[in-house]
Amino acid sequence: MMYELIATATFGLESIVAKELKKLGYDNLKVENARITFEGDEYDIALCNMWLRCADRVLIKMAEFKAESFEELYQGTLNVNWGDIIPENGFMHVVGKSVKSKLHSVPDCQSIVKKAVVESMKKKYEKDWFQEDGPEYKIEVAILKDVVTLTLDTTGQGLHKRGYRKRAGDAPMKETLAAAMVYLSNWNNEKILIDPCCGSGTIAIEAALIGKNIAPGINRNFVSESWPQIPKEIWDETREFARNRINDDEIKLMATDINRGVLKLARENAKSAGVAEYIHFQEIPIQEFLCKKKYVTLISNPPYGERIGEKEEIEDIYKTLGKLYRENDTWSLYIITSNEQFQRNFGRKADKNRKLYNGRLQCYYYQYIR
């Protein structure tokens, strides 16, 4: 069965997710704010959940229509053949959001959508009551400027939940953002990649997964694996395909930090991800960092200086990064930060910068390219 699928993305990462989809063989993509729409079947649902590194979720688009009243919302939802996908014992729950729309009460919208879905299911299964003790189906009603989009979530926990990060340090970066930063750096396996402020190791681990072509979802499960319309064989074949795509390339990554506790955590995460052998972890302050390799890609998420009393310490880190850049004329540096004084302290304006969001915090990804 063919579906209209949506890969959702954090603001600023849409074009990267579109490139990922093209690399997987999809065309006729529709790229909009926070989402990329394309067509696919059950196999494609499994493949995209398994392989997309920078997307947040993979959704099935069930309907899109205009609604300025609760009756219009109800009728539009009722017209969808929900029983074509949801079995009669499916556990259905509705989440929602509304932006710049007349129907601004999200709880009311959720309640109306759930009622209409159940009524549609009654017609399909000729029943008046449903047990709802089966597989999970999360329905989202998203209303933007009075246009309603109804979707089913095939992912479950967000795609950034790779499964390797059992614990994390303070304010951890999402794996999806870390992977996007590696993609934007154009790093390849012929260069060494270093992160001198590695924290719990997310950037280095994501780079290792990319370098070895390890599918980000290979070691986790997805909510649609329990759906009867996607046979277990599809998931088995998708995982077997992913295992066979892991390469034998030699990669070199270095990750350092001054905090012994987070380094221990980083090592545990790398081991859990199956990439510990490719990353050299070292406890050392950035001011003492030394790497004699000629061709280096440095990617880092240093402290932003959000806490009181950190100003001088943060400025020193940024100045040290600038010094590393000036003293190594074949190195490329890629730094994400929300600190507006970064370029001044670094000592040079970036060749490129790109607005990205680390959680809800607006940041810029400063790129010094060689």
Side-chain angles (χ1 to χ4, degrees):
M1 182 175 176
M2 292 300 292
Y3 305 97
E4 190 170 1
L5 301 176
I6 298 173
T8 63
T10 302
F11 178 81
L13 301 186
E14 298 92 343
S15 63
I16 300 172
V17 174
K19 285 181 181 178
E20 287 192 275
L21 286 165
K22 287 178 182 177
K23 188 176 179 181
L24 288 171
Y26 300 97
D27 52 17
N28 298 321
L29 305 177
K30 184 180 180 182
V31 182
E32 302 173 279
N33 283 341
R35 66 181 187 177
I36 300 89
T37 305
F38 59 106
E39 286 191 346
D41 59 13
E42 289 83 1
Y43 178 81
D44 298 302
I45 289 172
L47 186 72
C48 291
N49 274 304
M50 193 73 62
W51 279 98
L52 289 177
R53 298 183 192 278
C54 303
D56 293 330
R57 296 180 179 279
V58 179
L59 311 175
I60 298 174
K61 184 177 177 181
M62 300 297 292
E64 188 169 274
F65 54 89
K66 188 171 184 178
E68 298 182 345
S69 68
F70 289 134
E71 180 61 24
E72 288 176 331
L73 175 62
Y74 178 82
Q75 292 298 331
T77 307
L78 183 64
N79 288 335
V80 178
N81 296 320
W82 296 96
D84 288 349
I85 296 181
I86 304 175
E88 59 181 295
N89 69 334
F91 169 59
M92 301 170 287
H93 64 109
V94 182
V95 298
K97 57 186 176 183
S98 178
V99 179
K100 298 179 181 177
S101 300
K102 293 181 177 64
L103 299 178
H104 53 80
S105 173
V106 173
D108 286 337
C109 292
Q110 291 172 239
S111 177
I112 288 164
V113 167
K114 178 64 182 287
K115 182 179 179 182
V117 170
V118 171
E119 288 302 314
S120 173
M121 296 278 286
K122 286 180 180 179
K123 294 179 184 179
K124 169 75 175 182
Y125 293 107
E126 298 181 349
K127 293 179 66 175
D128 290 329
W129 184 80
F130 298 96
Q131 187 76 24
E132 293 198 53
D133 59 355
E136 178 184 357
Y137 292 82
K138 185 172 78 174
I139 301 162
E140 181 181 74
V141 48
I143 311 177
L144 175 62
K145 296 179 180 178
D146 299 323
V147 175
V148 177
T149 303
L150 297 174
T151 59
L152 278 175
D153 176 25
T154 74
T155 301
Q157 285 193 316
L159 288 175
H160 70 283
K161 296 281 189 178
R162 316 289 206 217
Y164 65 75
R165 200 162 71 177
K166 309 302 181 186
R167 295 183 295 134
D170 295 336
M173 168 178 285
K174 280 189 176 181
E175 295 89 329
T176 44
L177 177 57
M181 289 166 59
V182 175
Y183 276 144
L184 287 169
S185 76
N186 292 317
W187 169 72
N188 60 62
N189 292 359
E190 295 178 0
K191 295 182 178 182
I192 185 169
L193 184 147
I194 60 178
D195 179 1
C197 301
C198 73
S200 55
T202 307
I203 292 173
I205 293 169
E206 289 298 318
L209 294 174
I210 290 170
K212 297 299 293 179
N213 199 38
I214 300 172
I218 196 170
N219 292 319
R220 59 159 287 179
N221 294 313
F222 304 93
V223 70
S224 50
E225 288 191 59
S226 64
W227 294 4
Q229 67 267 42
I230 307 182
K232 179 179 181 295
E233 291 76 17
I234 286 180
W235 292 101
D236 291 342
E237 289 173 12
T238 305
R239 285 197 171 85
E240 183 63 23
F241 172 77
R243 283 191 285 269
N244 291 335
R245 296 293 292 175
I246 299 172
N247 64 46
D248 295 323
D249 294 358
E250 181 181 351
I251 59 173
K252 295 180 180 179
L253 304 105
M254 182 184 297
T256 69
D257 203 283
I258 195 173
N259 187 315
R260 181 172 299 179
V262 298
L263 269 179
K264 181 182 178 182
L265 189 58
R267 289 189 178 97
E268 291 174 0
N269 291 337
K271 184 178 180 181
S272 179
V275 296
E277 64 184 287
Y278 309 112
I279 307 171
H280 172 66
F281 290 101
Q282 185 177 5
E283 181 187 346
I284 188 173
I286 188 173
Q287 293 81 359
E288 298 176 19
F289 177 82
L290 181 65
C291 177
K292 295 181 179 180
K293 297 292 183 180
K294 186 172 183 181
Y295 296 103
V296 168
T297 299
L298 186 153
I299 307 175
S300 198
N301 174 36
Y304 300 167
E306 299 294 321
R307 297 187 182 94
I308 296 172
E310 287 185 336
K311 187 173 184 293
E312 290 185 5
E313 178 186 347
I314 300 307
E315 287 181 356
D316 189 39
I317 291 174
Y318 296 165
K319 288 174 182 176
T320 300
L321 288 167
K323 185 171 180 284
L324 284 171
Y325 180 76
R326 289 188 297 275
E327 292 178 352
N328 297 277
D329 59 10
T330 55
W331 288 25
S332 294
L333 273 67
Y334 300 83
I335 310 297
I336 189 170
T337 179
S338 66
N339 191 302
E340 296 179 357
Q341 300 302 314
F342 172 77
Q343 291 181 105
R344 182 177 66 82
N345 287 305
F346 186 92
R348 187 178 187 276
K349 186 177 180 181
D351 299 311
K352 291 182 180 180
N353 70 67
R354 185 180 185 126
K355 185 191 295 184
L356 295 174
Y357 282 83
N358 189 358
R360 295 186 177 183
L361 191 62
Q362 179 180 302
C363 298
Y364 282 92
Y365 191 39
Y366 296 102
Q367 302 164 59
Y368 297 88
I369 305 166
R370 285 174 171 148

